[in-house]
Amino acid sequence: FTSLIRACCSSPDLLLPSLRLFSLMRRRRLPPLPFTFSALLKSAAAARSLPAGALLHSLALSLGAFPSHLFVANSLLAMYVACSDLRSARRVFDEMPLRDLISWTSLVVAYARSGDMESAAALFASSPAKDVVAWTALVTGYAHNAMPGEALDAFVRMRDAGVTIDEVALVGAVSACAQLGAVSRARWVWDIAEANGFGTNVVVGSALVDMYAKCGLIDDARQVFDEMPERNVYTYSSMIAGLASHGRAYEAIALFREMVGATNVAPNRVTLIGVLTACSHAGMVEEGRFFFAQMKDKYRIPRSADHYACMVDLLGRAGLVEEALELVKSMPIKPHGGVWGALLGACRIHNKPEIAKTAADRLFKLEPECIGSYILLSNIYASAGMWDEVSKVRKLMRGRGLKKNPAASWVEGIDGLVHEFFAGDASHPRSREIKKLLEELMGRLKLVGYMPILSSVVYDVSDGEKERLLKGHSEKLALAFALLTKRNGDVIRITKNLRICEDCHLVMSLVSKVEKVEIVVRDNMRFHRFRNGECSCAGFW
DNA sequence: ATAGGGTTAG
């Protein structure tokens, strides 16, 4: 019976059969083994069924399997973690008369999944022993909670502690590098993967593809992809999304065609998001419509609100803002913030204050705390010169206690350190030189026809003041610093937390030509690669 | 016989 129940724990659909086997076993008066409970609890965990888990918990108590058996207690703990019931997990942990490393690690994971990395780290620190799995739980916990710096730090400490790194441990570090987007650390992690032969592992390889793509090294991502001995839906989805974010839509679509035509790897909803984003970032409206139409029947993928958001983005970016609005209205499922946000973004590009109002009103209800939509709406009104409306939006923001998060850019220096710049900020030690270089650079650009795009400034101030504000944009400061410190042949890589503005985009293009330098900017939307006066985004961003 | 893994969207 126990073997049969164990065979059921692989699939969430087999929870009921395994419970039925258990009751049959009880009717025949066969006493359950501790392993029987472990197997049953694993089924409940796989099905994420808290009711079934709690029932098994009380049965284990009454039949004496818990808390006396460590394995059963650990299985209970794992079940509560899988069902994201942190409190019950903690209670089981506290009631255990004996705990091993597995119990400690399970609870670390429970706290990490709940987003409480402080408690997770404290628990990890007080755990009496730490093996590679425990360390990995800490590293990936940080990575999952958008704390990539801490994740890498923990990874380094794990190595220093003399723990042998395996594939799973490395994946956490790779994912952290993807979030950081820092090239030198990405190379370092890749070296570790190579040295240990981990690159052939599908999960590590897929993570590396994603990491290189997010670091702006799309050709390296492709190389890792091409050299992988085995690829699955994650690998393809990462590569397609990476190509999409770099504006290489044709390659993304070609890869998708290869995937569905020449492999046994079935695309999923994430893959299709990559494909639709690729179309969007290249203005390929007809192709996007085609893939969107094919999703349900050809690939058996239901169209989610996320897919609609991609379509709204695609249509809206291409100037079909009214059609995008009609698509939202025709949706069979409830549009979420992403859908309205895409519409609002389109209104910004094509100056549609009325539709913007509709979209923003929905967003203010759906995501009242999200600052982005207020700023977008206010900027749309500002470009239309509707200053009264602008101040109304600003007032609304103030009333809700929302503060704009400051624009910032980062660039990795040759010292390997990441240098941070805020808009109009003079705190960098080399700020004077940066400012001087910018002045001189702007002068030179003007000789080749550069005119500052004053409309990129959304404040109602004089033209002179607008030009001064433009010069202080964080990505320009980062650019100047990079020009000041770079070696010949270096690619300048800048990361920005917000979308790059039109004026900075123009300046990057011109500088790439005048200074004969390649510049890669990662903004919050995508990558821009500037070479010889041209950007890979071809104006779509 | 129990613990740790990769992708997406304004």
Side-chain angles (χ1 to χ4, degrees):
Chain A
F1 271 104
T2 302
S3 300
L4 273 172
I5 292 170
R6 268 206 63 69
C8 289
C9 71
S10 55
S11 159
D13 311 326
L14 297 177
L15 172 63
L16 277 179
S18 66
L19 289 173
R20 233 173 266 139
L21 281 166
F22 182 61
S23 64
L24 210 57
M25 198 175 160
R26 303 275 301 137
R27 241 178 290 150
R28 297 197 181 178
R29 315 220 169 267
L30 291 165
L33 300 167
F35 303 151
T36 320
F37 278 105
S38 283
L40 284 163
L41 285 163
K42 198 161 185 182
S43 285
R48 318 222 155 193
S49 168
L50 200 51
L55 174 74
L56 290 165
H57 185 166
S58 59
L59 275 168
L61 264 174
S62 60
L63 295 172
F66 174 74
S68 56
H69 283 94
L70 177 61
F71 295 160
V72 176
N74 277 341
S75 300
L76 260 174
L77 197 46
M79 180 277 297
Y80 282 124
V81 175
C83 297
S84 3
D85 185 343
L86 175 62
R87 292 172 65 106
S88 305
R90 177 83 220 195
R91 218 173 43 233
V92 170
F93 182 84
D94 290 337
E95 285 169 6
M96 290 170 74
L98 209 75
R99 302 179 191 102
D100 65 0
L101 183 49
I102 293 175
S103 329
W104 283 91
T105 306
S106 298
L107 204 61
V108 168
V109 170
Y111 279 108
R113 293 217 180 129
S114 79
D116 182 359
M117 277 316 291
E118 220 169 287
S119 304
L123 204 63
F124 174 83
S126 54
S127 156
K130 294 147 183 96
D131 65 355
V132 62
V133 178
W135 275 103
T136 304
L138 187 71
V139 173
T140 50
Y142 281 126
H144 283 162
N145 286 292
M147 300 164 83
E150 286 83 351
L152 273 189
D153 189 54
F155 181 73
V156 171
R157 279 190 286 135
M158 156 159 61
R159 298 188 82 207
D160 291 346
V163 176
T164 308
I165 307 293
D166 67 4
E167 281 98 331
V168 185
L170 190 70
V171 167
V174 176
S175 154
C177 287
Q179 292 177 49
L180 278 177
V183 174
S184 65
R185 296 202 234 189
R187 298 273 190 220
W188 173 70
V189 165
W190 182 83
D191 283 340
I192 298 174
E194 268 315 274
N196 292 287
F198 294 160
T200 53
N201 175 294
V202 217
V203 180
V204 176
S206 306
L208 284 173
V209 167
D210 176 54
M211 175 189 80
Y212 271 148
K214 291 210 173 114
C215 288
L217 303 166
I218 189 65
D219 297 315
D220 296 75
R222 182 71 206 225
Q223 198 182 335
V224 171
F225 179 88
D226 286 337
E227 287 171 3
M228 281 171 67
E230 183 197 341
R231 304 179 192 104
N232 63 18
V233 64
Y234 284 91
T235 329
Y236 275 97
S237 302
S238 298
M239 193 66 239
I240 290 171
L243 289 166
S245 70
H246 283 79
R248 287 161 63 162
Y250 284 98
E251 284 164 80
I253 291 168
L255 189 61
F256 178 68
R257 293 229 158 90
E258 184 189 309
M259 177 188 181
V260 295
T263 75
N264 289 324
V265 185
N268 65 14
R269 49 190 306 284
V270 180
T271 323
L272 262 295
I273 286 171
V275 172
L276 294 176
T277 326
C279 297
S280 179
H281 284 176
M284 296 163 73
V285 177
E286 291 319 311
E287 289 83 350
R289 281 201 176 113
F290 175 73
F291 289 123
F292 188 66
Q294 277 195 329
M295 282 181 63
K296 215 168 117 199
D297 298 329
K298 189 155 181 198
Y299 305 116
R300 309 255 157 231
I301 302 166
R303 295 194 291 212
S304 70
D306 294 336
H307 297 103
Y308 276 93
C310 292
M311 277 312 283
V312 168
D313 186 52
L314 169 61
L315 295 170
R317 234 175 248 283
L320 306 167
V321 187
E322 284 79 7
E323 188 182 337
L325 176 63
E326 288 312 308
L327 180 67
V328 180
K329 286 184 180 161
S330 75
M331 280 174 62
I333 45 178
K334 194 172 182 293
H336 62 197
V339 176
W340 292 112
L343 190 64
L344 188 60
C347 293
R348 186 200 52 77
I349 302 171
H350 299 288
N351 299 317
K352 300 273 182 187
E354 295 83 20
I355 300 181
K357 176 102 176 59
T358 314
D361 281 341
R362 300 298 188 109
L363 279 167
F364 295 162
K365 289 206 179 71
L366 285 168
E367 301 173 349
E369 301 299 311
C370 178
I371 184 82
S373 29
Y374 297 86
I375 294 176
L376 263 179
L377 182 65
S378 140
N379 289 356
I380 292 164
Y381 284 142
S383 337
M386 300 159 72
W387 298 108
D388 288 349
E389 300 298 323
V390 172
S391 54
K392 271 188 210 160
V393 179
R394 295 243 162 99
K395 216 165 138 187
L396 189 63
M397 283 170 68
R398 267 201 307 276
R400 295 188 181 177
L402 298 172
K403 270 223 181 87
K404 192 178 163 176
N405 51 341
S409 293
W410 297 269
V411 67
E412 211 175 313
I414 49 172
D415 48 9
L417 295 177
V418 175
H419 297 252
E420 184 176 40
F421 299 90
F422 293 101
D425 135 59
S427 62
H428 193 275
R430 299 184 68 174
S431 177
R432 279 170 157 272
E433 291 167 84
I434 290 169
K435 212 170 164 194
K436 193 164 153 250
L437 186 114
L438 263 180
E439 286 295 340
E440 187 256 336
L441 190 63
M442 294 299 148
R444 244 177 323 133
L445 294 186
K446 281 185 178 165
L447 293 179
V448 297
Y450 165 63
M451 292 266 287
I453 303 176
L454 301 180
S455 60
S456 289
V457 177
V458 291
Y459 300 103
D460 193 14
V461 293
S462 73
D463 284 0
E465 178 64 6
K466 281 184 180 173
E467 193 172 341
R468 198 189 64 80
L469 286 171
L470 280 180
K471 258 186 275 187
H473 278 187
S474 63
E475 55 269 56
K476 289 200 188 83
L477 301 180
L479 173 68
F481 171 76
L483 286 171
L484 211 57
T485 55
K486 81 178 191 67
R487 296 162 300 202
N488 270 344
D490 279 353
V491 175
I492 296 179
R493 301 181 184 278
I494 298 169
T495 307
K496 181 168 187 198
N497 64 344
L498 304 173
R499 181 183 171 279
I500 184 172
C501 87
E502 310 247 357
D503 185 66
C504 287
H505 195 272
L506 175 61
V507 166
M508 298 282 168
S509 302
L510 293 171
V511 169
S512 75
K513 185 166 183 155
V514 173
E515 300 287 315
K516 298 196 174 34
V517 63
E518 181 173 336
I519 306 168
V520 178
V521 179
R522 170 197 190 177
D523 70 4
N524 63 346
M525 304 293 300
R526 57 171 295 155
F527 282 93
H528 304 262
R529 183 179 193 168
F530 301 90
R531 278 181 298 190
N532 196 27
E534 309 231 339
C535 179
S536 60
C537 79
F540 279 97
W541 92 95

